[in-house]
Coordinates of all heavy atoms in Angstrom, one line a residue:
D112 N 36.4 17.4 19.3 CA 37.4 16.8 18.5 C 36.8 15.4 17.9 O 37.0 15.1 16.7 CB 38.7 16.4 19.2 CG 39.5 17.6 19.6 OD1 39.2 18.7 19.0 OD2 40.5 17.6 20.4
Y113 N 36.1 14.8 18.7 CA 35.5 13.5 18.3 C 34.4 13.7 17.2 O 34.5 13.1 16.1 CB 34.8 12.8 19.5 CG 34.2 11.4 19.1 CD1 34.9 10.3 19.0 CD2 32.8 11.3 18.8 CE1 34.4 9.1 18.6 CE2 32.3 10.1 18.4 CZ 33.1 9.0 18.3 OH 32.6 7.8 17.8
V114 N 33.6 14.7 17.4 CA 32.5 15.0 16.4 C 33.2 15.5 15.1 O 32.9 15.0 14.0 CB 31.6 16.1 16.9 CG1 30.6 16.6 15.8 CG2 30.8 15.6 18.1
H115 N 34.3 16.3 15.2 CA 35.0 16.7 14.0 C 35.7 15.5 13.3 O 35.8 15.5 12.1 CB 36.1 17.8 14.4 CG 35.5 19.1 14.7 ND1 36.1 20.0 15.7 CD2 34.3 19.7 14.3 CE1 35.3 21.1 15.8 NE2 34.2 20.9 15.0
S116 N 36.2 14.6 14.1 CA 36.8 13.4 13.5 C 35.9 12.6 12.6 O 36.4 11.9 11.7 CB 37.5 12.6 14.5 OG 36.4 11.7 15.2
K117 N 34.6 12.8 12.8 CA 33.6 12.1 11.9 C 33.3 13.0 10.7 O 32.4 12.6 9.9 CB 32.3 11.9 12.7 CG 32.5 11.1 14.0 CD 32.3 9.6 13.7 CE 32.9 8.8 14.8 NZ 32.8 7.3 14.4
G118 N 34.0 14.1 10.5 CA 33.6 14.9 9.4 C 32.4 15.8 9.6 O 31.8 16.3 8.7
L119 N 32.0 15.9 10.9 CA 30.8 16.7 11.3 C 31.2 17.9 12.0 O 32.4 18.1 12.4 CB 29.9 15.8 12.1 CG 29.5 14.5 11.5 CD1 28.7 13.6 12.6 CD2 28.5 14.8 10.4
K120 N 30.3 18.8 12.3 CA 30.5 20.0 13.1 C 29.7 20.0 14.4 O 28.7 19.2 14.5 CB 30.2 21.3 12.3 CG 31.1 21.4 11.0 CD 30.6 22.6 10.2 CE 31.3 22.7 8.9 NZ 32.6 23.3 9.0
I121 N 30.1 20.8 15.3 CA 29.4 20.7 16.6 C 28.8 22.0 17.0 O 29.5 23.1 16.8 CB 30.4 20.1 17.7 CG1 29.7 19.9 19.0 CG2 31.6 21.0 17.9 CD1 30.4 19.0 20.0
G122 N 27.6 22.0 17.7 CA 27.0 23.2 18.1 C 26.8 23.2 19.6 O 26.8 22.2 20.2
I123 N 26.6 24.4 20.1 CA 26.4 24.5 21.6 C 25.2 25.6 21.8 O 24.8 26.2 20.8 CB 27.7 24.9 22.3 CG1 27.7 24.3 23.7 CG2 27.9 26.3 22.3 CD1 29.0 24.1 24.3
Y124 N 24.9 25.8 23.1 CA 23.7 26.5 23.4 C 24.0 27.5 24.6 O 24.7 27.1 25.5 CB 22.6 25.5 23.8 CG 21.4 26.1 24.5 CD1 20.2 26.3 23.8 CD2 21.4 26.4 25.9 CE1 19.1 26.9 24.4 CE2 20.3 26.8 26.5 CZ 19.1 27.1 25.8 OH 18.0 27.6 26.4
S125 N 23.5 28.7 24.6 CA 23.6 29.6 25.7 C 22.5 30.6 25.7 O 21.6 30.6 24.8 CB 24.9 30.3 25.8 OG 25.1 30.9 27.1
S126 N 22.5 31.5 26.7 CA 21.4 32.5 26.8 C 22.1 33.9 27.1 O 23.2 34.0 27.8 CB 20.5 32.2 27.9 OG 19.7 33.3 28.3
P127 N 21.6 35.0 26.6 CA 22.1 36.3 26.9 C 21.8 36.7 28.4 O 22.3 37.6 28.9 CB 21.4 37.2 26.0 CG 20.2 36.5 25.5 CD 20.4 35.1 25.6
G128 N 20.9 35.9 29.1 CA 20.6 36.1 30.4 C 21.6 35.4 31.4 O 22.6 34.8 30.9
S129 N 21.3 35.5 32.7 CA 22.2 34.9 33.6 C 22.0 33.3 33.7 O 22.8 32.6 34.1 CB 22.0 35.5 35.0 OG 20.7 35.2 35.5
K130 N 20.7 33.0 33.2 CA 20.4 31.5 33.3 C 19.8 31.2 31.9 O 19.1 32.0 31.2 CB 19.4 31.2 34.3 CG 19.9 31.5 35.7 CD 20.4 30.2 36.4 CE 20.7 30.4 37.8 NZ 22.2 30.4 38.0
T131 N 19.9 29.9 31.6 CA 19.3 29.3 30.4 C 17.8 29.0 30.7 O 17.4 29.1 31.9 CB 20.0 28.1 29.9 OG1 19.8 27.1 30.9 CG2 21.5 28.3 29.7
C132 N 17.1 28.6 29.8 CA 15.7 28.2 30.0 C 15.7 27.1 31.0 O 14.6 26.9 31.8 CB 15.0 27.8 28.7 SG 14.6 29.3 27.8
G133 N 16.6 26.2 31.0 CA 16.7 25.1 31.9 C 17.2 25.4 33.3 O 17.4 24.6 34.1
G134 N 17.6 26.7 33.5 CA 18.1 27.2 34.8 C 19.6 26.9 35.0 O 20.1 27.1 36.0
Y135 N 20.3 26.7 33.8 CA 21.8 26.5 33.9 C 22.4 27.9 33.6 O 21.7 28.9 33.3 CB 22.3 25.5 32.9 CG 21.8 24.1 33.2 CD1 20.4 23.7 33.1 CD2 22.7 23.2 33.8 CE1 20.1 22.4 33.5 CE2 22.3 21.9 34.1 CZ 21.0 21.5 34.0 OH 20.6 20.3 34.3
A136 N 23.7 28.0 33.8 CA 24.4 29.3 33.7 C 24.4 29.8 32.2 O 24.6 29.1 31.3 CB 25.9 29.1 34.1
G137 N 23.9 31.1 32.1 CA 23.9 31.8 30.8 C 25.2 32.7 30.7 O 26.1 32.6 31.5
S138 N 25.1 33.5 29.6 CA 26.4 34.3 29.3 C 26.4 35.7 29.8 O 27.3 36.4 29.5 CB 26.6 34.2 27.8 OG 26.8 32.9 27.3
L139 N 25.3 36.1 30.4 CA 25.3 37.6 30.8 C 26.5 38.1 31.5 O 26.9 37.5 32.5 CB 24.0 37.8 31.7 CG 23.7 39.2 32.1 CD1 23.4 40.1 30.9 CD2 22.6 39.3 33.1
G140 N 27.1 39.1 30.9 CA 28.4 39.6 31.5 C 29.6 38.9 31.2 O 30.7 39.2 31.6
H141 N 29.5 37.7 30.4 CA 30.6 36.9 30.1 C 30.7 36.6 28.6 O 31.2 35.6 28.2 CB 30.5 35.6 30.9 CG 30.7 35.8 32.4 ND1 31.8 35.9 33.1 CD2 29.7 35.9 33.3 CE1 31.6 36.1 34.3 NE2 30.3 36.1 34.6
E142 N 30.0 37.5 27.8 CA 29.9 37.2 26.4 C 31.2 36.9 25.7 O 31.3 35.8 25.0 CB 29.1 38.2 25.7 CG 27.7 38.4 26.2 CD 27.5 39.2 27.4 OE1 28.5 39.6 28.0 OE2 26.3 39.4 27.9
E143 N 32.2 37.8 25.8 CA 33.5 37.6 25.1 C 34.2 36.4 25.6 O 34.7 35.6 24.8 CB 34.4 38.9 25.3 CG 33.9 40.1 24.6 CD 32.9 41.0 25.3 OE1 32.6 40.6 26.6 OE2 32.3 41.8 24.7
Q144 N 34.2 36.2 26.9 CA 34.9 35.1 27.5 C 34.3 33.7 27.0 O 35.0 32.8 26.6 CB 34.6 35.1 29.0 CG 35.6 34.4 29.9 CD 35.4 34.8 31.4 OE1 34.3 35.3 31.8 NE2 36.3 34.5 32.2
D145 N 32.9 33.7 27.0 CA 32.3 32.5 26.5 C 32.5 32.2 25.0 O 32.8 31.1 24.6 CB 30.8 32.5 26.8 CG 30.4 32.4 28.3 OD1 31.4 32.2 29.1 OD2 29.2 32.4 28.6
A146 N 32.5 33.3 24.3 CA 32.7 33.1 22.8 C 34.1 32.6 22.5 O 34.3 31.8 21.7 CB 32.5 34.5 22.1
R147 N 35.1 33.2 23.3 CA 36.5 32.7 23.1 C 36.6 31.2 23.5 O 37.3 30.5 22.8 CB 37.4 33.6 24.0 CG 37.8 34.9 23.3 CD 39.1 35.5 24.0 NE 38.9 35.7 25.4 CZ 38.3 36.8 26.0 NH1 38.0 37.7 25.2 NH2 38.2 36.8 27.3
M148 N 35.9 30.9 24.5 CA 36.0 29.5 25.0 C 35.3 28.5 23.9 O 35.8 27.5 23.6 CB 35.2 29.3 26.3 CG 35.3 27.9 26.9 SD 34.5 27.9 28.5 CE 32.8 28.1 28.1
Y149 N 34.2 28.9 23.3 CA 33.6 28.1 22.3 C 34.6 28.0 21.1 O 34.7 26.9 20.6 CB 32.3 28.8 21.7 CG 31.2 29.1 22.7 CD1 30.4 30.2 22.5 CD2 31.0 28.3 23.8 CE1 29.4 30.6 23.4 CE2 30.0 28.7 24.7 CZ 29.1 29.8 24.5 OH 28.2 30.1 25.4
A150 N 35.2 29.1 20.8 CA 36.1 29.0 19.6 C 37.3 28.1 20.0 O 37.8 27.2 19.2 CB 36.7 30.4 19.3
E151 N 37.8 28.1 21.3 CA 38.9 27.2 21.7 C 38.5 25.8 21.6 O 39.3 24.9 21.3 CB 39.4 27.6 23.1 CG 40.4 28.8 23.1 CD 40.4 29.5 24.4 OE1 40.2 28.9 25.5 OE2 40.8 30.7 24.4

Side-chain angles (χ1 to χ4, degrees):
D112 288 348
Y113 182 80
V114 172
H115 289 149
S116 77
K117 301 270 160 185
L119 300 169
K120 294 177 189 281
I121 185 163
I123 211 160
Y124 168 99
S125 191
S126 169
S129 65
K130 296 266 184 250
T131 66
C132 287
Y135 291 74
S138 294
L139 185 64
H141 297 275
E142 293 82 358
E143 287 85 8
Q144 201 172 17
D145 286 0
R147 277 197 304 273
M148 183 176 68
Y149 303 149
E151 278 159 24

